[in-house]
Amino acid sequence: MPEIVKPMDIERRSFEIITELLGDRTLEPENELVVKRVIHTTADFDYVENLCFSDHAVQKGIEALRSGCDIVTDTRMARSGINKSILGQLGGEVRCFMSDPDVAEEAKSRGVTRAMVSMERASALEKPCIFAIGNAPTALFSLLELIKDGRVAPALVIGVPVGFVNVVESKEQIMTAGVPYIVARGRKGGSNVAAAVCNALLYQIIR
């Protein structure tokens, strides 16, 4: 039988192994914990190269969370993976409009995606928000238009949708929007990555 190891010890040892396997590759100190947590979530060291950060995006995200901002996700999976206990202690909550019946109805009537309508709904929130997008490139395209129109000013955009159709393009374009971003360039990403980035920020505030 394998030795029983406590969850926190498993995590600690996992991060030690990640550091060992990174070898002499150097990470920006401000971004290091985000990169390592994404690797911890995915076991994929490509994120050392794939994750792109605007200037001081991590610090800006942490400051927004400290101020009680909300996090908007494009999937219930990302919502479930974010540490809501810590976020709640800071005065924030996770929002996801994708499963709302009226969102589905409006998307169908307009011939657009639920992700697009969800971003429009989120733009009406009064609180500052971090947008954590792990699945739908149309969410990023919608955010881009909302930002250009002055309808929303994200505290941070975590742009990590996964897939093949419009995924790469959506990520490249959101990096031109003039807002803080953490983006996984290329086709890799996912809701688990979006949640991991959020948690990497939260754990730097409260652990």
Side-chain angles (χ1 to χ4, degrees), residues 72-91:
V72 175
T73 71
D74 65 329
T75 64
R76 294 175 68 180
M77 180 180 173
R79 182 184 184 280
S80 67
I82 294 170
N83 192 312
K84 288 172 282 296
S85 176
I86 295 177
L87 185 60
Q89 291 178 57
L90 298 169

Side-chain angles (χ1 to χ4, degrees), residues 19-189:
T19 300
E20 292 167 6
L21 292 175
L22 283 169
D24 58 2
R25 282 184 283 187
T26 303
L27 303 176
E28 286 288 335
E30 182 180 332
N31 305 334
E32 180 177 358
L33 294 179
V34 173
V35 175
K36 286 183 175 179
R37 183 151 294 278
V38 171
I39 294 171
H40 177 259
T41 297
T42 62
D44 188 340
F45 282 80
D46 284 354
Y47 285 103
V48 173
E49 306 297 334
N50 295 349
L51 281 175
C52 298
F53 301 78
S54 63
D55 289 343
H56 301 297
V58 170
Q59 190 56 43
K60 290 173 182 177
I62 289 172
E63 290 171 359
L65 291 166
R66 286 186 185 277
S67 299
C69 79
D70 288 345
I71 298 175
V72 175
T73 71
D74 65 329
T75 64
R76 294 175 68 180
M77 180 180 173
R79 182 184 184 280
S80 67
I82 294 170
N83 192 312
K84 288 172 282 296
S85 176
I86 295 177
L87 185 60
Q89 291 178 57
L90 298 169
E93 62 179 299
V94 185
R95 310 269 196 153
C96 183
F97 301 99
M98 289 289 287
S99 297
D100 292 3
D102 56 338
V103 167
E105 291 174 8
E106 182 176 342
K108 184 177 181 179
S109 67
R110 291 170 54 191
V112 298
T113 66
R114 286 183 296 158
M116 186 175 294
V117 177
S118 293
M119 295 303 104
E120 292 171 355
R121 294 290 173 89
S123 72
L125 295 173
E126 294 183 0
K127 294 179 69 175
C129 292
I130 289 174
F131 288 81
I133 309 302
N135 183 69
T138 53
L140 289 183
F141 285 129
S142 180
L143 268 179
L144 183 63
E145 293 305 312
L146 291 166
I147 292 166
K148 288 180 177 179
D149 292 343
R151 294 173 59 186
V152 67
L156 173 68
V157 175
I158 299 167
V160 293
V162 60
F164 298 93
V165 179
N166 291 325
V167 167
V168 174
E169 295 86 348
S170 69
K171 294 174 181 179
E172 294 297 321
Q173 290 190 30
I174 201 64
M175 288 192 290
T176 69
V179 299
Y181 63 79
I182 300 173
V183 166
R185 294 181 101 163
R187 293 188 168 90
K188 292 185 178 182

